Amino acid sequence: MGRIRFGRASVLLIAGLYFVTPLLSTLWFTVDNSPSGFSLDAYRQIFTVPGLWPALQLSLLLALGTIALVFLLLIPTVVAVRLGSPRLRTVVELTCTLPLVVPSIALTAGISTVLRWCNDNLAPTPFYRTFLLTQNGTFPVVLLLAYVVMALPLAFRTLDAGMRALDVRTLLEAAQNNGASRGRAIVTVILPNMRTALLNTAFLTLALVLGEFTVASILGYVPFAVWIVNGNSAGQGPVTVAVSIVSLLLTWLLLLVLSAGGQRRGGGAPAGS
């Protein structure tokens, strides 16, 4: 028993150091000012540094759009597969997890090729203006679609796990026996029992969009992650790293709030995941 406890403590210590050391080093970088020593100037400049709020606003808008589109695509699919065609689950799962094996740089190269083809062939057509609007910098739909594809693997796994944890058919029959239509039963009975899975899906998608760099950078957009890297290159390293730390803390706080809210509302009801 003594050896087992020592082994567990060693593993926990190594894992803790592995995760905490980079964070502490990053924190030290933001507060260490070589001439004057300890300084919080990097954090005081967060609210005045140029470019932060437009970049953050763009990332949040893209995150909200990605979450909405992922829910719109996957929730009906997961429900339909569960209730009507369980044999198709493997096909849907393979399709949704396919982006995991496609590198971001390859995905971006494909998007760039499609955009060039559309630019060359749609110019004489009435669709060209719509094509240009999809690349508008204030809300680039093309970037939104790329994020939806990238979010599919995690979103499907989370929603599918939440759905499989429920006795969907019994809940649906009970609701229909009480006079609810099939659609209303899904909205008012099935989805509320999946709230933890829905919240987890939304959070994972938000984290993915806030941290994604490759696709946005190559396509020429400046959301939050690209702004941070550009700021480091422009000599604003401590400020942009301080923004990263604050965003990381806010993300953790959001995760704790969502987890606590999901557990409190869940009570004795079936868990969503």
Side-chain angles (χ1 to χ4, degrees):
M1 290 296 292
R3 289 185 177 181
I4 294 177
R5 289 179 179 177
F6 178 77
R8 290 176 179 173
S10 301
V11 171
L12 289 175
L13 179 62
I14 293 172
L17 290 174
Y18 180 81
F19 287 108
V20 172
T21 301
L23 294 177
L24 291 178
S25 301
T26 305
L27 180 63
W28 178 253
F29 173 73
T30 61
V31 299
D32 180 36
N33 190 330
S34 298
S36 59
F38 181 82
S39 173
L40 293 176
D41 286 344
Y43 293 91
R44 295 192 188 97
Q45 297 174 27
I46 286 179
F47 296 100
T48 59
V49 63
L52 168 61
W53 300 117
L56 184 59
Q57 181 182 12
L58 176 59
S59 286
L60 292 178
L61 285 175
L62 288 170
L64 290 176
T66 304
I67 291 169
L69 197 51
V70 164
F71 281 170
L72 193 62
L73 288 173
L74 285 187
I75 290 177
T77 303
V78 172
V79 172
V81 169
R82 177 72 171 175
L83 294 178
S85 306
R87 293 182 179 178
L88 290 179
R89 181 182 172 277
T90 303
V91 177
V92 176
E93 183 178 16
L94 287 175
T95 304
C96 290
T97 54
L98 191 60
L100 284 178
V101 298
V102 179
S104 297
I105 189 71
L107 176 64
T108 312
I111 294 173
S112 299
T113 303
V114 172
L115 292 179
R116 282 196 301 273
W117 183 90
C118 291
N119 191 49
D120 295 338
N121 294 276
L122 293 182
T125 69
F127 301 106
Y128 190 62
R129 186 176 177 80
T130 303
F131 167 71
L132 294 179
L133 286 177
T134 61
Q135 303 175 68
N136 192 308
T138 56
F139 189 76
V141 178
V142 63
L143 196 56
L144 169 69
L145 297 178
Y147 286 165
V148 170
V149 172
M150 297 171 71
L152 282 180
L154 293 175
F156 174 79
R157 290 282 187 181
T158 308
L159 291 175
D160 184 59
M163 181 64 72
R164 297 178 71 181
L166 297 178
D167 189 351
V168 179
R169 199 169 298 280
T170 300
L171 290 173
L172 196 61
E173 290 176 355
Q176 289 179 314
N177 289 337
N178 284 285
S181 64
R182 192 179 184 90
R184 184 177 180 182
I186 291 173
V187 173
T188 60
V189 177
I190 303 299
L191 293 185
N193 279 284
M194 291 179 60
R195 53 181 164 265
T196 303
L198 295 174
L199 288 173
N200 288 338
T201 302
F203 173 76
L204 290 172
T205 305
L206 173 66
L208 183 147
V209 174
L210 287 178
E212 199 287 326
F213 170 78
T214 305
V215 178
S217 176
I218 295 177
L219 293 181
Y221 300 106
V222 188
F224 184 61
V226 177
W227 176 83
I228 289 176
V229 176
N230 292 345
N232 282 324
S233 302
Q236 297 177 330
V239 181
T240 54
V241 174
V243 172
S244 303
I245 291 178
V246 173
S247 68
L248 183 63
L249 293 176
L250 291 177
T251 303
W252 282 350
L253 180 62
L254 178 62
L255 175 61
L256 292 176
V257 170
L258 291 178
S259 299
Q263 291 176 358
R264 185 168 54 252
R265 291 179 183 178
S273 65

